[in-house]
Amino acid sequence: MNLLSSNDLSATQIEKIFGLADSLKDRSKKPLSKSSPILALLFEKSSTRTRISFESAMLQLGGHSLYIDAKTSQMSRGESLADTARVLSSYVDIISARMYKDSDLRELAGYSSVPVINALTDLEHPCQALSDVYTIRKVFGKVKGLKIAFVGDIAANTANSLMITATKMGAQISLVGPRGYHANFEYILQASKYETVVTSDDIQDGLSGCDVVYTDTFISMGQESEAEKRRKLFAKYQVNAEAMKFAKKGAKVMHCLPAHRGEEITSDVLDGKNSIAWEQAKNKMVVEKAIILYLLNAGR
Ligand code: CP
Ligand code: NVA
């Protein structure tokens, strides 16, 4: 079994992963120490959280991890994804890959003989969404019935994955971004099958009644050439103290990080008492432990 998209998991499977994550908080438990499997982290893009949390997760489970920077592999000299996948999967037991193009991740997975995890592509960030929703559940004690606003780049990989995972677990989504800039229609359509998804270009309207206000960078990796245009396009959608007044009193603030302070979010809000961004980052590791274990066991 692979985890390429948030669509790959049912609500029951998400519950199982969350249950596993709860049980894996205790570091002394090393369920993989007997077989000592190897995780390959094949990354085309930069990473701090996902890379380090996956590496630590695998070590804590009792396995090993290998980091492969695509730029220093033969991929940079034109070796095909198919050949890379065939060879890599003959050395390791599971692969977590961060690719520019989602289609490249799918090609890699198609030729891999071991499970492949999406560690972020231009289209999705499913592991992030799982730790986000896990964090929401920890903080609120529930997910069902909550209203989550995603503000800014509503077509971002993080928005797509959050939309699917959160609605599957019973939360409503409010997508708040500029007029004429559209979220991914396929994802809205899919998420709407589980729960209500609304869109608005008005930040007051979009944040009204929200329990959680989530944002991400205005300029995702790979979009650097559009930086100026994007900064202007999304400027009105900064998550700041004024904007937070439109959400429910005490609404929690989330950010997948890295944050661009003064752009999509202000420091007072990110460091404020209602920010759960640090807990969100911390939870990535335990959720990734659960994902690794779940996928390795699914193959048995
Ligand atoms: N949130 C997240 O995926 O961060 P990194 O890019 O540092 O891995
Ligand atoms: N949307 C961001 C997420 C970074 C974790 C990006 O793709 O760069």
Side-chain angles (χ1 to χ4, degrees), residues 47-50 98 125 128 256-257 284:
S47 171
T48 298
R49 278 145 289 269
T50 311
R98 174 167 283 200
H125 200 357
Q128 182 70 47
C256 61
L257 304 174
K284 280 175 76 93

Side-chain angles (χ1 to χ4, degrees), residues 275-295:
S275 170
I276 54 170
W278 312 107
E279 194 171 340
Q280 185 186 353
K282 185 176 176 192
N283 283 335
K284 280 175 76 93
M285 186 168 70
V286 79
V287 171
E288 286 157 4
K289 277 168 114 171
I291 294 168
I292 294 167
L293 209 57
Y294 188 81
L295 295 184

